[in-house]
Amino acid sequence: MTTRTILLASPRSFCAGVERAIEVVEQLLERRGRPIYVRKQIVHNTHVVAELDSRGAVFVDELDAVPEGATVVFSAHGVSPAVREEADRRGLDVIDATCPLVTKVHAEARRYAARGDTVVLIGHAGHEEVEGTMGEALNRTVLVETVEDVARLEVEDPSRVSYLTQTTLAVDETTAILDALRNKFPGLRGPEAADICYATTNRQEALAAIADESDLVLVVGSTNSSNSRRLVELAVKRGTPAHLIDDASDIDAHWLDGVQVIGLTAGASAPPRLVDEVIAWLREFGPLEVVERELTRETIHFTLPSTVRQP
């Protein structure tokens, strides 16, 4: 039997913001006991949510489901000021697990709006991060998702326009939209450093480095994970069939027909163990050679909120 090759992209799986958010909930469960309420999913991964749920975390869509005075965690994706105000009105004990890189975007939105700019946010409608960022300057922020949206965009003062981006976008698509904005608004201003986070960029570059050599790409991640979906799109754009899988049970054995080289990666909210389980599942179909391709090594670590740190 022919030996298949797995090209294992690195970096993959958890990023620093995801690790921090999960640890916030874990620490609270350990020190305060159950239940600990979490607004929305702490990160966009069904396995993470299920595991924390089994330990006593209660995930709610809105704050009206949280008893007054209870502890509630804001997810890694951030919330709008309106949500914070509601939590204050209801006397909730808020622990903020927003990723620091998302917090940076929120601060930029407030700063740009305060100086009188129209803030153009490049992102996906309905995503929690986008809703939170737009809420920082709701009357001065407009969302664009495509180059076509830019063409239709009209603003109050074309000389006073700034841009921000969702942190989990595809780099190439965002670049195209940003180019269109600069062409339309020559005085466009924005952040000194790109808002697309290091982890999103690193995972896209790591996958791009192996996609062309692969006959098939598997991306471990949940369907509501923006950065995971972008990885699938990246592989497909490069001409390689790709599938988003929550875990090994989602793999269709027929996908392996005629496949010799499998590219494997995971989105930033997917636990590393799921990648190991995929490899173990693939071994059942014959011998495997696993080759890890490390493009860069991530060393970033975010400290926990002061209210959660061990004394």
Side-chain angles (χ1 to χ4, degrees), residues 69-267:
T71 298
V72 63
V73 179
F74 290 158
S75 79
H77 307 103
V79 300
S80 69
V83 174
R84 297 182 186 277
E85 291 166 6
E86 182 185 355
D88 287 341
R89 286 196 304 270
R90 302 194 63 246
L92 301 179
D93 180 12
V94 172
I95 308 296
D96 191 355
T98 302
C99 174
L101 299 181
V102 175
T103 299
K104 167 182 172 287
V105 179
H106 282 217
E108 290 165 346
R110 293 191 299 269
R111 186 166 70 252
Y112 297 163
R115 70 189 183 194
D117 289 5
T118 296
V119 181
V120 179
L121 175 60
I122 304 172
H124 296 296
H127 192 280
E128 290 157 37
E129 182 186 328
V130 166
E131 292 175 349
T133 302
M134 292 193 71
E136 293 288 356
L138 199 55
N139 295 328
R140 301 205 63 84
T141 307
V142 293
L143 178 68
V144 297
E145 299 184 82
T146 64
V147 170
E148 290 73 25
D149 287 343
V150 175
R152 293 188 291 267
L153 181 61
E154 295 183 5
V155 300
E156 181 181 6
D157 183 351
S159 68
R160 300 194 64 85
V161 180
S162 295
Y163 78 91
L164 296 170
T165 75
Q166 183 180 330
T167 62
T168 55
L169 300 179
V171 175
D172 57 348
E173 288 186 3
T174 305
T175 299
I177 295 171
L178 192 49
D179 287 345
L181 281 171
R182 288 190 174 118
N183 286 335
K184 186 163 187 173
F185 306 110
L188 183 72
R189 296 185 286 183
E192 291 183 8
D195 286 329
I196 298 179
C197 83
Y198 77 94
T200 297
T201 301
N202 286 349
R203 279 150 190 74
Q204 290 177 18
E205 291 178 349
L207 178 58
I210 65 170
D212 294 346
E213 299 176 56
S214 304
D215 304 311
L216 170 72
V217 164
L218 297 177
V219 177
V220 181
S222 295
T223 55
N224 61 339
S225 167
S226 176
N227 76 88
S228 299
R229 293 201 308 271
R230 302 294 83 76
L231 291 170
V232 173
E233 292 170 1
L234 183 153
V236 171
K237 283 183 178 179
R238 299 180 78 94
T240 305
H243 300 279
L244 181 63
I245 56 173
D246 242 323
D247 53 44
S249 68
D250 286 341
I251 303 174
D252 185 335
H254 293 297
W255 296 346
L256 305 179
D257 292 345
V259 167
Q260 189 62 35
V261 180
I262 302 169
L264 179 60
T265 189

Side-chain angles (χ1 to χ4, degrees), residues 37-39 60 62-72 90 92:
Y37 292 87
V38 183
R39 184 184 181 274
V60 299
E62 298 301 340
L63 293 182
D64 57 10
V66 181
E68 290 192 10
T71 298
V72 63
R90 302 194 63 246
L92 301 179

Side-chain angles (χ1 to χ4, degrees), residues 20-31:
R20 176 180 183 269
I22 294 171
E23 188 176 355
V24 165
V25 180
E26 290 175 337
Q27 289 281 350
L28 290 172
L29 286 168
E30 181 178 334
R31 294 162 60 184

